[in-house]
Amino acid sequence: MKIYRSLIVLAALLFITTGCNTRSTAKPSSLSAKPVKEYQDLVVGFAQIGAESEWRSANTLSIKEEAERLGVELKFSDAQQKQENQILAVRKFIAMKVDVIGISPVVETGWEEVFQEAKDAGIPIILVDRRADVPEDLYVTYLGSEFREEGRNAARKMIELTNGNAYIVELQGTPDSAPATDRYNGFREIIKDYPNMLILDSQNGDFTRARGREVMEYFLEEYGPTISALYAHNDDMALGAIQAIEEYGLRPGVDIKIVSVDAAKVALQAIIDGKINVSVECNPLLGPQFFELALKVVNGVPVEKRVPSIETIFDINNAAEALPTRKY
Ligand code: AHR
């Protein structure tokens, strides 16, 4: 009986102690969880490249309009195509203690130090449009186009347009930028199997209309009417080149077949006018996806390391239908 009573006392004591311990260490979930942020709570820094093309202006507008629509506080910086300005912008955003930093790196290399600074400050980096050559732990996700596939598609279309026989000149985008490198390589990956697709020359046109025109003038001086095709890494350079071709007395789109990338409104109009044959789409309207990712990241929701944008190809068969509703 005595033993029986002692056992009851022991059990009661055990119940009281473990019960107390459980209650005193476990916090109610509402106190331990980080408060969930809404769009209106977010402060986001965005380090843009500049305004070198129609594409870039549309991209900037998409970011700014979406921030405004969602009520996000946006700190925006335009680096005027200079990497050092983008680095300064990131440092400024770190000092401001923004929640997230978005950046379109103008070139691929040279970001490790400043991205590490952001990581040390606990500020996640989202790459938008262009990738950076850094270890994967220095950014949370990369949202943007498949530039290499754009280059491959440009080559496939060029082969169709010229029946696999062409003397090509190429206008490249900004040296060491992800789209220029990938569009260059993707194009070659396809035409290497076509011995009569010959690249006469390939030069930097810096993604701008002025430079595209200047370099095309040089190509025409150098190779004249031998040129039968132009591959431009973006529409702006193609449009600059069209001016040079017309001044030279040749017909763009007819004497010289033209394939470019972006599919901006101006290029769709040039397709309808018969001056550009094909423009491979590169979608700049990344604002909605960017802020959706930013909110997830801040709230600790897992995101994919790579988020591609959805794209198509435009030629005379679909340009007119797309033009009236085209946003850029
Ligand atoms: O990074 C995307 C590229 O940058 C676009 O194709 C070009 O027009 C822009 O300047």
Side-chain angles (χ1 to χ4, degrees):
M1 191 64 191
K2 228 176 179 180
I3 294 175
Y4 183 60
R5 219 179 293 133
S6 317
L7 276 175
I8 291 177
V9 171
L10 193 66
L13 272 173
L14 266 175
F15 174 75
I16 289 164
T17 44
T18 53
C20 283
N21 277 349
T22 313
R23 247 174 267 131
S24 63
T25 51
K27 290 177 197 149
S29 58
S30 60
L31 287 181
S32 62
K34 252 169 104 182
V36 174
K37 288 212 179 190
E38 308 283 345
Y39 282 118
Q40 293 89 331
D41 307 320
L42 285 192
V43 182
V44 175
F46 196 89
Q48 181 59 288
I49 292 174
E52 76 282 7
S53 62
E54 300 270 343
W55 190 102
R56 189 66 50 201
S57 309
N59 180 244
T60 293
L61 198 65
S62 171
I63 303 283
K64 287 186 174 173
E65 280 183 354
E66 192 61 9
E68 173 101 40
R69 194 181 75 77
L70 297 169
V72 172
E73 188 179 335
L74 178 68
K75 313 278 182 198
F76 186 88
S77 154
D78 174 337
Q80 302 183 346
Q81 274 96 273
K82 292 198 174 68
Q83 182 176 31
E84 58 269 33
N85 291 346
Q86 277 194 303
I87 291 174
L88 283 179
V90 172
R91 292 210 165 110
K92 202 172 75 193
F93 296 148
I94 296 171
M96 287 173 174
K97 299 187 176 18
V98 300
D99 295 303
V100 179
I101 295 173
I103 180 167
S104 297
V106 60
V107 292
E108 279 188 69
T109 51
W111 298 103
E112 217 166 311
E113 192 182 329
V114 74
F115 282 17
Q116 184 65 54
E117 289 169 28
K119 189 178 177 190
D120 294 344
I123 301 175
I125 291 210
I126 298 181
L127 299 175
V128 181
D129 161 39
R130 295 189 185 178
R131 65 169 184 270
D133 187 8
V134 292
E136 283 207 346
D137 66 307
L138 293 187
Y139 63 92
V140 277
T141 179
Y142 164 33
L143 161 69
S145 307
E146 297 289 4
F147 298 133
R148 197 164 177 123
E149 186 58 12
E150 291 168 354
R152 293 188 197 108
N153 282 332
R156 291 179 186 120
K157 286 291 169 186
M158 188 67 96
I159 291 161
E160 264 175 51
L161 283 167
T162 60
N163 296 317
N165 293 288
Y167 287 106
I168 307 161
V169 288
E170 178 181 32
L171 289 167
Q172 297 174 34
T174 307
D176 193 29
S177 69
T181 307
D182 287 1
R183 288 172 190 166
Y184 178 98
N185 290 326
F187 191 80
R188 281 159 181 77
E189 200 182 304
I190 300 299
I191 68 157
K192 73 172 184 339
D193 297 328
Y194 293 80
N196 294 329
M197 296 293 288
L198 300 169
I199 299 177
L200 287 176
D201 209 337
S202 176
Q203 304 267 344
N204 166 31
D206 216 11
F207 282 131
T208 67
R209 200 179 283 217
R211 190 87 184 115
R213 181 180 179 162
E214 214 175 286
V215 179
M216 190 68 209
E217 281 167 1
Y218 159 78
F219 286 154
L220 286 162
E221 256 169 52
E222 207 57 21
Y223 310 99
T226 307
I227 302 169
S228 60
L230 163 68
Y231 167 39
H233 287 190
N234 80 346
D235 292 336
D236 293 75
M237 294 188 293
L239 291 160
I242 285 172
Q243 289 180 291
I245 295 168
E246 287 177 332
E247 275 160 25
Y248 189 82
L250 291 173
R251 291 166 303 168
V254 181
D255 301 317
I256 299 183
K257 302 287 186 208
I258 301 181
V259 175
S260 67
V261 185
D262 280 357
K265 249 187 202 164
V266 272
L268 297 193
Q269 187 57 57
I271 291 175
I272 295 165
D273 298 340
K275 297 184 180 189
I276 289 182
N277 302 89
V278 170
S279 186
V280 177
E281 186 178 36
C282 177
N283 182 11
L285 308 177
L286 302 175
Q289 276 175 291
F290 168 61
F291 289 109
E292 198 184 318
L293 286 168
L295 189 66
K296 281 186 177 163
V297 165
V298 165
N299 283 323
V301 178
V303 294
E304 295 290 332
K305 201 77 193 176
R306 177 77 177 97
V307 183
S309 31
I310 300 153
E311 291 160 351
T312 182
I313 299 173
F314 288 95
D315 62 14
I316 198 65
N317 299 310
N318 55 357
E321 195 193 328
L323 188 59
T325 53
R326 197 76 181 151
K327 291 218 171 64
Y328 70 101

